[in-house]
Amino acid sequence: MRRQRNAKIIATLGPASSDIQTIQALFEAGADVFRFNFSHGSQQDHQARYDMVREVERRFDRPIAVLADLQGPKLRVGKFADGKIMLPAGAEFFLDLDPAPGTSHRVCLPHPELFDAVAAGQSLLLDDGKVRLQVLSVAGRAIRTRVITGGPLSDRKGVNVPDAVLPIPVLTDKDLQDLRFALSLGVEWVALSFVQRPQDVLQARQLIGGQASLMTKLEKPAALEQLDDIVRLSDAVMVARGDLGVELPPERVPGAQKRILRACRREGKPSVVATQMLESMIGAPAPTRAEASDVASAVYDGADAVMLSAESASGAYPVQSVSIMNRIIQEVERDPLYRNLIDAQQEAPLPTRGDAICAALRSVTQIIGAVATVTYTTSGHTSLRAARERPMAPILSITPSLATARRLALVWGVHSTVSYQLGRVDEIVSAASRIAQQEGFAQPGDHLAITAGMPFGEPGSTNFLRIAQIARPAKDPEYRPFVPVEQAASNACC
């Protein structure tokens, strides 16, 4: 199954998409990556969905990536005696460490580390910013505030602190348990929530230990102050506009999104735009025109992937949500303006052999009219560097590693296949020609631009570029030089 687009789609699985028929329909509609949201659901739920994703993968013989999204250190108020209160603007309200049920004057904030981090004049945002408090003073075990924007407040609502870097670990005890479980499943990507500083990324990377790739979610203003370092340390970055849109003024979110995407493109790291993309489709069969424009804008800006959250996890129209997102991306990528914008965003290659080869690959592809850019890669590095260049032709990635093939399902323009281990240049050229024909990218007479690293199998050694022309049909049309996903999975287990 070949996608007729470059940008990818991430679909979140949940109660509305927990049977194999729906998961298969989501894949057929256009989902390339499935997200498991560990803020909801049990480990048993995630195990069952993971097994169904792998069954769909086997049915279609196409690598599929799984993203485990950790909850992170979400701050919440305690419970109220009556379950809910009304806070009028101008009133004083206290946040303290007393576990007693809250009243209209106070509530427990069971996060003692917060009391040393906030100061007078700072803001506290409750319930996704619907209620805004200004800190008047902090004394021991109580934060005295004034209500700036009033409204209802109920049990366990979230607390955001936009004006401070909080001395809290990026991984809670729950996250550590979920991380161990996700890695035992074999997920390709782990998403890290509420990152504030580069050290958070380093800590998570050490715990993951190379068992999965790390996606950093940018949803804290403090993280934007060290954006370049965080992007450099991450394997991919998500623009998580939910909490980012709470802590940043709304008018600053679009600019922040563009800045993040530009930083990712510069470093060659995949970027994801997420949250509220087709929000109305939770309950309606079609998106608003503004939502369609939002998805289109992310694609025009060069995002590697766009993501559906509640739309596919708990909405009434999960498959339709993926389908319309697929159609929006295709329409954008057919627009001549899209290629003009992508080219205008082109960054100078970094001074490395890999970037030099992939920059040349982009030029060669355009000059000779190659129908595909073929990358032979073990670690995925060659395909990632090729994707950074945004070539005119699709990227046909060939790898002997099923884990790498799955991971690359997230990356712009990459169509990933699993091959047998290849050891000579003529084997790579032959395999590229056969796979390009069998996967529907090429036919006799077409040109391919092929790149790899020599010696083969050494990560980060991209240094080889070859132009090949497909002279005649494969001698044995039944011969498939790549390994079926089911066989590759079996080999990986052994």
Side-chain angles (χ1 to χ4, degrees):
M1 177 183 288
R2 176 187 168 188
R3 306 292 192 204
Q4 300 300 318
R5 52 176 164 79
N6 292 309
K8 302 300 182 69
I9 295 174
I10 302 174
T12 303
L13 297 183
S17 47
S18 289
D19 60 274
I20 194 164
Q21 291 82 9
T22 302
I23 294 173
Q24 178 170 323
L26 291 171
F27 177 73
E28 292 182 284
D32 304 287
V33 179
F34 288 109
R35 170 178 174 254
F36 293 8
N37 185 358
F38 277 81
S39 295
H40 306 285
S42 66
Q43 291 187 355
Q44 291 77 12
D45 294 333
H46 296 308
Q47 176 74 66
R49 291 170 189 148
Y50 182 86
D51 293 341
M52 286 185 276
V53 169
R54 293 298 170 228
E55 174 58 30
V56 171
E57 182 182 64
R58 285 189 289 272
R59 290 179 182 180
F60 287 87
D61 199 19
R62 293 293 315 135
I64 301 173
V66 173
L67 166 66
D69 194 338
L70 303 179
Q71 176 176 286
K74 184 73 172 179
L75 306 178
R76 299 182 185 277
V77 299
K79 294 186 176 182
F80 292 91
D82 297 323
K84 184 177 182 179
I85 62 168
M86 178 63 67
L87 287 177
E92 287 195 3
F93 189 70
F94 288 82
L95 302 164
D96 56 40
L97 293 172
D98 185 350
T103 67
S104 59
H105 301 290
R106 58 152 298 275
V107 71
C108 179
L109 182 60
H111 303 282
E113 63 276 7
L114 189 60
F115 290 71
D116 294 325
V118 300
Q122 293 181 340
S123 295
L124 299 179
L125 307 177
L126 282 57
D127 192 11
D128 291 336
K130 298 181 180 70
V131 174
R132 178 182 290 268
L133 309 177
Q134 184 181 54
V135 177
L136 299 177
S137 62
V138 182
R141 296 168 58 88
I143 301 173
R144 175 171 159 256
T145 73
R146 185 177 306 282
V147 180
I148 303 301
T149 303
L153 184 64
S154 55
D155 295 346
R156 304 286 298 155
K157 290 301 181 183
V159 179
N160 292 84
V161 189
D163 304 327
V165 176
L166 303 180
I168 55 177
V170 72
L171 292 166
T172 65
D173 290 341
K174 170 179 164 51
D175 294 327
L176 293 172
Q177 294 177 15
D178 289 339
L179 176 60
R180 285 191 290 269
F181 173 72
L183 294 177
S184 73
L185 286 179
V187 302
E188 287 68 48
W189 290 92
V190 172
L192 188 63
S193 299
F194 300 110
V195 169
Q196 299 185 92
R197 54 183 81 84
Q199 292 84 346
D200 295 338
V201 183
L202 290 172
Q203 177 189 347
R205 184 176 290 285
Q206 184 176 15
L207 290 170
I208 293 171
Q211 298 177 73
S213 294
L214 178 60
M215 180 182 295
T216 298
K217 295 170 65 177
L218 292 182
E219 46 201 333
K220 301 286 289 182
L224 298 179
E225 297 175 7
Q226 302 183 74
L227 175 62
D228 290 341
D229 288 338
I230 289 174
V231 170
R232 198 171 297 116
L233 293 169
S234 306
D235 294 313
V237 171
M238 180 189 295
V239 188
R241 301 178 304 177
D243 280 273
L244 185 63
V246 171
E247 299 204 8
L248 273 183
E251 65 273 14
R252 290 182 56 193
V253 174
Q257 174 175 310
K258 291 180 183 294
R259 182 183 162 204
I260 294 167
L261 295 183
R262 194 63 181 266
C264 290
R265 177 77 179 276
R266 186 167 54 248
E267 292 294 327
K269 303 297 178 71
S271 58
V272 178
V273 176
T275 317
Q276 299 175 336
M277 301 222 76
L278 299 177
E279 183 87 352
S280 65
M281 289 194 73
I282 295 172
T288 66
R289 302 305 178 263
E291 289 168 341
S293 294
D294 184 36
V295 174
S297 293
V299 179
Y300 277 118
D301 287 342
D304 285 72
V306 286
M307 192 179 93
L308 295 166
S309 299
E311 301 96 326
S312 58
S314 57
Y317 303 94
V319 177
Q320 293 92 326
S321 297
V322 172
S323 180
I324 187 63
M325 183 170 272
N326 181 72
R327 299 203 304 273
I328 292 169
I329 297 171
Q330 289 180 328
E331 187 66 26
V332 168
E333 294 183 352
R334 282 194 292 263
D335 183 357
L337 177 61
Y338 170 73
R339 175 44 64 176
N340 293 339
L341 290 173
I342 291 296
D343 290 343
Q345 298 162 11
Q346 189 70 22
E347 294 280 352
L350 300 179
T352 65
R353 289 183 305 175
D355 271 30
I357 290 291
C358 289
L361 182 73
R362 182 179 189 271
S363 297
V364 166
T365 299
Q366 187 168 357
I367 292 169
I368 68 172
V371 296
T373 300
V374 182
T375 56
Y376 181 72
T377 181
T378 301
S379 66
H381 179 267
T382 300
S383 298
L384 285 167
R385 301 321 290 175
R388 177 189 184 273
E389 298 302 317
R390 299 296 195 257
M392 292 283 290
I395 302 167
L396 175 57
S397 177
I398 304 173
T399 177
S401 167
L402 176 59
T404 296
R406 287 170 171 168
R407 181 165 61 93
L408 291 171
L410 174 74
V411 182
W412 185 98
V414 172
H415 178 90
S416 210
T417 63
V418 184
S419 79
Y420 296 99
Q421 184 74 51
L422 305 174
R424 301 195 313 269
V425 170
D426 62 324
E427 289 181 338
I428 288 181
V429 174
S430 176
S433 298
R434 289 179 178 273
I435 293 174
Q437 291 179 84
Q438 292 168 350
E439 294 290 278
F441 287 88
Q443 50 191 324
D446 287 337
H447 285 90
L448 303 174
I450 305 170
T451 187
M454 299 177 67
F456 300 129
E458 183 176 311
S461 62
T462 308
N463 57 7
F464 162 83
L465 175 59
R466 172 70 64 90
I467 299 171
Q469 184 176 26
I470 300 177
R472 57 185 181 278
K475 291 180 181 178
D476 179 5
E478 297 302 317
Y479 170 65
R480 294 173 66 85
F482 59 93
V483 184
V485 163
E486 184 171 9
Q487 182 180 338
S490 176
N491 294 344
C493 291
C494 301

